[in-house]
Amino acid sequence: ASEPRDPKADLLWQYVDRINAGEPIDEARIRADHPEAAEELLEQIKAFTRIGAAGEEGSGEEAPLGVLGDYRLLRQVGRGGMGVVYEARQESLERRVALKVLPAGLLADSRAIARFVREAKVAAGLQHPNVVPVFGLEVQANTPYFTMEMVDGETLAARIARLRAGKGGAGEVDARYCFETALAFAGAAEGLQHAH
């Protein structure tokens, strides 16, 4: 038998999808639309969009976003349906890594936790040039996260925008643009094929 659907969790994931699409969140509108669940919902949304306390002041360095176990969060590099990805410094090994974090506000949704852990375990078992390696899965301060290789580069959306900007006049299709865009999609598809 499948788990019963949680209307509050479904509502949260609808707002997470909106955030991921770049839509601003209107707190007043949420309070008006969902008066009984608004405060809890807003707390969970805020937990999704940021994590950790401000870094220590007076250190002479730019303050990190927060500290999570052995990791100092440096900047947010991405956000998806299952968490926020940060560039971080692993202090014990003095290396840059990426951390994918499931915000504490989502811990009430057992499906989210199970999905997050499953994603980490599946990704850790994969070896492919188009799949980022996973190093570990941990929980600190009730916050699950997994550590990955930090890969520098541009997003697929940024690459397409850059290629589009470099093509010819309006409405003109450039062969290089088509080839490079197809290559980018092929690489992503190969990684997904391997994962499946």
Side-chain angles (χ1 to χ4, degrees), residues 135-153:
F135 301 141
L137 173 65
E138 299 179 50
V139 177
Q140 286 285 332
N142 294 324
T143 304
Y145 60 92
F146 57 91
T147 315
M148 303 175 288
E149 178 182 346
M150 180 66 193
V151 179
D152 293 311

Side-chain angles (χ1 to χ4, degrees), residues 159-169 172-177:
R159 184 174 186 170
I160 290 170
R162 178 179 53 79
L163 290 170
R164 184 175 289 146
K167 69 179 187 173
E172 191 176 317
V173 177
D174 181 273
R176 182 179 164 275
Y177 165 78

Side-chain angles (χ1 to χ4, degrees), residues 31-117:
R31 285 187 177 93
D33 290 348
H34 313 285
E36 292 180 13
E39 294 312 314
E40 180 183 358
L41 183 60
L42 286 169
E43 183 180 321
Q44 291 177 332
I45 290 169
K46 287 175 184 174
F48 178 79
T49 56
R50 72 179 193 288
I51 183 172
E56 296 177 20
E57 294 186 25
S59 65
E61 295 180 11
E62 184 178 322
L65 298 175
V67 175
L68 199 55
D70 189 27
Y71 304 94
R72 184 168 42 112
L73 306 179
L74 302 174
R75 66 183 177 100
Q76 182 179 317
V77 295
R79 184 168 50 206
M82 283 309 299
V84 182
V85 179
Y86 294 93
E87 176 182 354
R89 176 174 169 79
Q90 185 176 12
E91 298 294 355
S92 63
L93 296 178
E94 300 179 352
R95 69 175 174 175
R96 286 174 61 231
V97 296
L99 290 187
K100 186 165 187 177
V101 180
L102 181 67
L106 300 181
L107 289 175
D109 185 351
S110 61
R111 292 177 300 164
I113 296 169
R115 189 172 150 202
F116 188 80
V117 169

